[in-house]
Amino acid sequence: MNFTIQNVLIATDNAYLTLDVQVIDGKIAAIAPDLDVVGNTIDGSNKLLLPGFFNAHTHSSEMWQRGIMSMLPLELWLGELYDFAPLDLEKVYLSALGTAVETLLSGGTSVVDHLVLTPGQELETIAAAVRAYEEVGIRAFIAPLIQDQSLTAGIPGGESNQNCTYFRSTAATLEIIEEAVRQFHRPEAGISIVVAPTGIQLCSDSLFIGCIELSDRHHLCRHSHLLETKAQEKLAQEKYGCTAVEHLQRIGYLSDRTSLAHCVWLNDNDITILAQTQCTVVHNPLSNLRLGSGIAPILKYLQAGVNVSFGCDGASSNDSQDLLEAIKIGSILHNTTDLDYHNWITPRKSVEMASLGGAKGLKIADKLGSLTLGKQADLVMYDLTSLSLLPRTDPIGLLVLGRPINVVHSAWVNGKQIVSNGQVNTIKVDDLQQELFKRSQWETQRKSPTVAEIETHYRQVMDI
């Protein structure tokens, strides 16, 4: 847990300095030139040290369907996803391993897994993901995805005025999360449970209110999808007679420990509410493009003082867990939404959003997210001699605006080194690759009965 990184490049306000970084008992103890060596010596020459990024919204088990999902909007895409989703617990475990490894090798040291639960094996699903994340050593915030209404309730003019009871009751769902907290919530060991109703489209007020009570009682963070699609904006007006943001504020779900994925279809008043309640927006640009959901007004959020972080989203709506790719697209995409280039996101701002922004969203900015004395040593060191980071210009500019490949040299979580010389130390990635290959098969086309059933209604209510 004790080591000294020598002669590594550190970003200052407007430049870079070559310094030493001392880590003692898993925390950053000193940053200065020519420090006395404590513990192991790490050569930081020609390398850039940054705080670890947060993959602040994903669904690990979607990995099994990446590359095969049809070109559909979210509401229909979900129908196809769930028609082919049943997984055994070993596949849950393997896809969590894959999500952790891909996140690490693209600069992330923390992952927020909005984990899809296997019906009837909910706690076993969580246990499988926990086992994977503990083995790899990444910091994991497991947000079991819960709902208490059926899929068609999420389409405007669908079951909103009918019986849309999910197969599991609201009370039973909340009991599962309560038990998950008891069994698995160990923040000091790098595993946290987050309350995570999927969103207003498939959740009753009773479920949201139950999650508020759980989060208050156990000091848990809250996570949810919010207004990912135009259909959800229409649905909120049907259900509540106001915007989804106004309704969530009314019932008390919004707070400084609430992170909200997507946030594509918010109006200016909604943005003001998010700023006032100190919520975090998790920007998932690639899935928003893949599913045709729209472009989230990220520049407006930043100008209003809303905290923003980045997520990859699930690996079948992206279809990747490359955090650097999400950061790049999620930054330069917005150059098309505002003619005033003074508002555009700079590479340094992107890095801050991916690290400190992620920490703020989980109410741990006092512990993580920056190279600050006393903070936990979740660190990533990049090899600046890599071909994709050459020739030398601005290191952070190259990292964010380029197409960096295999550039993570080392990564530490809580002071423990889990990537060295570009290789994960804690598990055998070759074995993981073989298992993912062995348990899958080449596919081309498939037919979703749920999509066939609901597509006509969806097209009608969306005026397509």
Side-chain angles (χ1 to χ4, degrees), residues 126-254:
I126 297 168
V130 168
R131 177 163 66 100
Y133 292 132
E134 286 183 330
E135 285 181 15
V136 174
I138 199 169
R139 196 179 295 275
F141 299 83
I142 297 179
L145 188 151
I146 52 175
Q147 65 191 75
D148 60 353
Q149 295 175 347
S150 59
L151 192 62
T152 46
I155 299 176
E159 296 180 345
S160 32
N161 297 317
Q162 304 170 30
N163 178 15
C164 51
T165 304
Y166 194 51
F167 73 89
R168 189 198 313 116
S169 72
T170 306
T173 298
L174 291 168
E175 284 172 15
I176 288 167
I177 304 306
E178 179 98 55
E179 183 60 22
V181 173
R182 193 186 70 77
Q183 289 189 31
F184 305 113
H185 185 60
R186 299 186 298 277
E188 68 291 339
I191 300 289
S192 300
I193 297 294
V194 176
V195 297
T198 185
I200 62 103
Q201 66 278 11
L202 297 174
C203 297
S204 68
D205 282 357
S206 296
L207 187 60
F208 273 107
I209 290 165
C211 286
I212 293 167
E213 191 276 328
L214 273 175
S215 78
D216 287 346
R217 182 151 45 89
H218 296 291
H219 307 290
L220 307 174
C221 288
R222 308 169 187 173
H223 189 63
S224 188
H225 299 101
L226 179 64
L227 295 176
E228 184 173 353
T229 66
K230 183 70 174 173
Q232 290 173 10
E233 181 191 44
K234 290 167 72 87
L235 181 69
Q237 287 293 335
E238 281 185 11
K239 287 179 75 169
Y240 312 125
C242 64
T243 72
V245 174
E246 288 169 339
H247 184 73
L248 290 177
Q249 182 190 33
R250 188 181 300 155
I251 63 174
Y253 191 73
L254 306 181

Side-chain angles (χ1 to χ4, degrees), residues 17 28 46 137 188 208 240 266 316 330 345 390:
L17 293 175
I28 300 170
N46 301 316
E188 68 291 339
F208 273 107
Y240 312 125
L266 276 65
S316 61
I345 300 170
L390 289 171

Side-chain angles (χ1 to χ4, degrees), residues 423-440:
Q423 303 296 315
V424 177
N425 300 331
T426 45
I427 66 165
K428 294 181 178 177
V429 176
D430 286 351
D431 291 351
L432 171 62
Q433 290 175 231
Q434 290 172 23
E435 284 297 311
L436 291 171
F437 188 91
K438 185 174 72 176
R439 291 170 180 269
S440 56

Side-chain angles (χ1 to χ4, degrees), residues 291-308:
L291 301 175
S293 301
I295 298 176
I298 296 301
L299 300 184
K300 284 188 173 183
Y301 293 130
L302 294 173
Q303 289 161 29
V306 176
N307 183 51
V308 180

Side-chain angles (χ1 to χ4, degrees), residues 385-427:
T385 68
S386 170
L387 183 61
S388 60
L389 296 179
L390 289 171
R392 289 187 287 170
T393 57
D394 179 343
I396 289 177
L398 290 165
L399 191 68
V400 171
L401 298 175
R403 183 66 179 92
I405 300 168
N406 302 326
V407 294
V408 171
H409 179 277
S410 300
W412 296 263
V413 174
N414 202 27
K416 179 185 177 184
Q417 188 162 13
I418 53 179
V419 177
S420 305
N421 297 312
Q423 303 296 315
V424 177
N425 300 331
T426 45
I427 66 165

